[in-house]
Amino acid sequence: MIFTQSKPIDEVLESLGEEKDIFLLACNGCVEACETGGEKGLAAIKGELEKAGKKITGTCLVDFLCNKMLVTTRLSREMDKIQSADSIVILTCGIGVQAVSKVVNKVVHPADNTVSLGGLQGLWPSDERCQACGDCALDYTGGICPIAFCAKGLLNGPCGGAQDGKCEVDAEKDCGWQLIYERLEQVGRLENFKKIRTPRDHSNMLPSDELRKTSFYDIEA
Amino acid sequence: MKLSKCFQQGRFVITCEVGPPKGIEIEKLINELEPLRSKADAFNVTDLQSSVLRVGSLATCRLLKEKDLEPIMQLTCRDRNRLGLQSDVLSAAVLGVDNLLCLTGDHPKLGDHPQAMPVFDLDSVQLLSAVKRLMDGKDMAGNDLEGRPPQFCLGAVVNPGADPLEPQIMKMEKKVRAGAEFFQTQAVYEVDKFAKFMKRVGHLKVPVMAGIVLLKSPAMAKFMNANVAGIHVPDEIIDELSSVPKEKRVGKSLEISARLIRQLKNLCQGVHIMALGWERHITAVLEMAGL
């Protein structure tokens, strides 16, 4: 599941500026669970916008705004109300906003911030555990990712900044390299630590152009 | 002159840390180092220490060089990717810098620009390898450098007070393999613990310079104990510093540091003094320590 937080209403209003007639669109998927969307989120922001003097030309709930086909079909029924509005305020993740903006030729305003790609049954497409570096080091670090768990993404061991096993950046956070060290010791693979890891190839993080063109990947396709 | 020459001569090597100013008036810094000319072998110039914006290390190193003071340029991985780092290493060679100290660097969140993007494209081990490679005439991508390659004495850091210590030592071994020729340590106050550390890393056969931070007050000692990784000022030292009236505190502090240096002298190959604004007292400490 993708996790989101509502933007402060002042931020949304600032983004709307002089635009008065607003179409409200909310996803009924992940944001429903976060209460940053769905019926509840939609009702909340409708009240706020009306209180600020905005006119709501229409509202619409779509199960998955990240699904372009669904968005196209569902919004075709609302097109008049959408076109009569100055802009669309959308309660969804960053992907949903991009999908809508591709389907409708209208200014879009996200009302949520995407904070994590979270996890779905059997999946965890989240960069707090995996940053999709394209050169997985987990085999050598005992199954704990040094890029995701070390604040500096160091590949060859801890910096000198950890104190009592906690990160210099956040005393609530464990030092990733301490976790890796303990794990390697536990599984009898401290030898792994001694290998010098060469610098990352950041070009690995860019999906190939081929992949970008597939219908599985691309919201434009 | 390369610092490695000092170690080869079998001398007890002395370096001092210099923090460039936050602003362009750098004369004060240069003037304060003048009395140390005959005492210190070289001066570490920090690279945006504690992630606080200041004048850069390279420019300050060059100014020291022009005054015939030997600089050690500190180079961190925090602010530059591999292109920036390699370029600055070449620039350092062009400007006459002979000594480089390669470190990871503090996270920007700890400094005065916490919004900054942390780079860390390389880590300290990879940075040492990259510089070593430049010294062999090739860049990280394997391209040849034109003409003669740069030559440096490479240094690195280690924290002997870290707990657990073992990962620090394993990383120190990697740094030696990557090209580090000497080490400077985090501040040392516990001589016994440091002696054990030196025994543990004896097999690396690399010169180690013990870090000395001058204690300005008991409060500073307590602050470091609570907030600085790997530093532990024992209660006896804090009590000793608290035992004298305020006006005698400077003298007491210098006495404590001088005593530490005398005790450490037989355990390691040098001391690295971090005066943190008390540069004017370094000469006195060294004299009290018999150096």
Side-chain angles (χ1 to χ4, degrees):
Chain A
M1 196 184 85
I2 294 175
F3 294 96
T4 48
Q5 288 172 341
S6 299
K7 282 185 181 290
I9 189 68
D10 288 345
E11 197 187 316
V12 178
L13 290 171
E14 196 189 331
S15 160
L16 287 172
E18 296 300 310
E19 296 161 8
K20 205 164 166 57
D21 296 343
I22 311 294
F23 187 85
L24 263 178
L25 181 57
C27 182
N28 212 20
C30 308
V31 288
E32 202 261 346
C34 294
E35 300 188 347
T36 51
E39 255 181 52
K40 209 167 166 180
L42 194 67
I45 198 160
K46 187 165 182 278
E48 293 278 9
L49 292 177
E50 284 172 341
K51 207 167 77 190
K54 304 291 181 193
K55 188 184 154 206
I56 308 300
T57 65
T59 65
C60 182
L61 265 177
V62 179
D63 276 350
F64 293 104
L65 276 180
C66 50
N67 183 320
K68 199 183 91 173
M69 287 306 286
L70 210 55
V71 176
T72 312
T73 324
R74 188 67 188 84
L75 291 191
S76 62
R77 285 184 249 153
E78 312 285 341
M79 219 31 104
D80 287 349
K81 287 179 197 160
I82 292 173
Q83 291 306 343
S84 71
D86 294 318
S87 59
I88 317 175
V89 169
I90 314 176
L91 293 91
T92 182
C93 67
I95 299 162
V97 175
Q98 293 178 68
V100 172
S101 119
K102 199 70 204 172
V103 170
V104 186
N105 189 20
K106 207 74 182 166
V107 174
V108 291
H109 299 281
D112 294 331
N113 287 322
T114 306
V115 292
S116 163
L117 300 179
L120 190 67
Q121 298 91 324
L123 289 173
W124 195 303
S126 157
D127 73 352
E128 73 226 15
R129 282 200 174 264
C130 173
Q131 297 187 356
C133 71
D135 183 19
C136 190
L138 288 170
D139 52 344
Y140 127 100
T141 54
I144 298 168
C145 178
I147 295 167
F149 277 80
C150 168
K152 299 173 185 172
L154 304 180
L155 292 180
N156 279 299
C159 68
Q163 201 169 18
D164 302 324
K166 299 294 179 187
C167 177
E168 73 172 25
V169 176
D170 181 355
E172 301 289 310
K173 235 181 112 187
D174 290 325
C175 164
W177 271 101
Q178 173 129 355
L179 297 178
I180 292 170
Y181 173 75
E182 286 167 1
R183 176 73 183 156
L184 289 175
E185 194 176 34
Q186 191 189 1
V187 296
R189 292 288 169 88
L190 271 179
E191 281 302 308
N192 286 358
F193 201 124
K194 295 182 179 167
K195 289 175 198 153
I196 293 183
R197 296 284 302 189
T198 52
R200 286 171 62 184
D201 179 350
H202 287 270
S203 66
N204 286 339
M205 289 192 82
L206 297 171
S208 67
D209 216 36
E210 211 125 293
L211 176 63
R212 282 172 183 273
K213 282 175 190 151
T214 66
S215 54
F216 291 109
Y217 188 90
D218 189 5
I219 51 179
E220 283 89 352
Chain B
M1 189 182 77
K2 289 182 182 170
L3 205 63
S4 45
K5 290 228 170 86
C6 299
F7 293 115
Q8 281 156 16
Q9 289 166 4
R11 276 196 283 138
F12 190 72
V13 179
I14 298 164
T15 56
C16 301
E17 192 151 294
V18 177
K22 194 178 178 76
I24 61 170
E25 290 178 11
I26 203 155
E27 302 76 12
K28 182 170 164 277
L29 175 149
I30 307 279
N31 292 338
E32 268 183 355
L33 299 184
E34 199 52 48
L36 293 168
R37 181 183 291 280
S38 58
K39 289 282 179 196
D41 293 290
F43 300 89
N44 276 53
V45 182
T46 54
D47 176 12
L48 277 57
Q49 193 176 7
S50 310
S51 306
V52 171
L53 176 72
R54 301 157 189 276
V55 168
S57 184
L58 179 52
T60 310
C61 282
R62 175 65 196 177
L63 291 177
L64 259 58
K65 196 87 197 170
E66 284 169 10
K67 293 277 180 186
D68 216 16
L69 296 162
E70 193 56 47
I72 300 171
M73 179 168 133
Q74 295 198 180
L75 192 61
T76 73
C77 303
R78 178 192 52 232
D79 307 311
R80 284 152 289 186
N81 67 10
R82 63 194 77 179
L83 278 167
L85 286 167
Q86 290 180 100
S87 174
D88 278 1
V89 168
L90 296 181
S91 303
V94 167
L95 293 175
V97 174
D98 289 327
N99 304 290
L100 286 182
L101 188 87
C102 299
L103 15 136
T104 303
D106 292 318
H107 196 282
K109 266 208 173 157
L110 308 184
D112 66 352
H113 287 62
Q115 307 85 351
M117 175 174 179
V119 179
F120 303 111
D121 183 24
L122 304 183
D123 62 28
S124 50
V125 176
Q126 294 163 346
L127 176 59
L128 285 161
S129 304
V131 179
K132 194 80 185 161
R133 192 143 195 220
L134 291 172
M135 288 161 65
D136 290 336
K138 283 195 187 300
D139 68 15
M140 283 180 72
N143 304 309
D144 290 328
L145 299 181
E146 293 162 20
R148 67 192 153 85
Q151 290 305 322
F152 297 102
C153 170
L154 297 182
V157 296
V158 64
N159 191 342
D163 180 27
L165 181 60
E166 207 53 30
Q168 279 288 317
I169 292 176
M170 291 171 93
K171 193 165 182 182
M172 184 182 179
E173 287 166 353
K174 287 193 194 185
K175 288 178 179 180
V176 172
R177 267 154 56 207
E181 296 171 73
F182 71 94
F183 281 81
Q184 291 176 336
T185 78
Q186 180 58 285
V188 174
Y189 295 98
E190 296 162 294
V191 177
D192 291 351
K193 209 169 158 186
F194 184 74
K196 279 185 200 143
F197 165 80
M198 286 305 295
K199 220 172 163 182
R200 178 69 189 75
V201 301
H203 66 291
L204 294 175
K205 299 195 175 8
V206 62
V208 174
M209 307 179 76
I212 300 288
V213 167
L214 306 186
L215 290 172
K216 293 179 185 170
S217 66
M220 174 185 170
K222 286 175 195 163
F223 178 84
M224 290 198 302
N225 282 348
N227 298 295
V228 184
I231 292 192
H232 183 247
V233 189
D235 288 344
E236 306 88 76
I237 290 183
I238 300 179
D239 292 344
E240 188 183 349
L241 194 56
S242 312
S243 70
V244 296
K246 258 192 177 161
E247 61 275 15
K248 290 194 174 161
R249 208 168 264 165
V250 176
K252 194 62 177 175
S253 167
L254 306 188
E255 187 188 316
I256 291 169
S257 294
R259 189 180 63 221
L260 277 169
I261 294 172
R262 277 199 307 273
Q263 292 169 333
L264 292 166
K265 199 168 179 244
N266 297 321
L267 297 172
C268 57
Q269 289 70 41
V271 282
H272 173 58
I273 301 174
M274 294 166 267
L276 307 171
W278 270 17
E279 282 74 18
R280 61 190 182 280
H281 296 307
I282 296 176
T283 312
V285 172
L286 292 171
E287 276 166 8
M288 285 161 83
L291 293 170

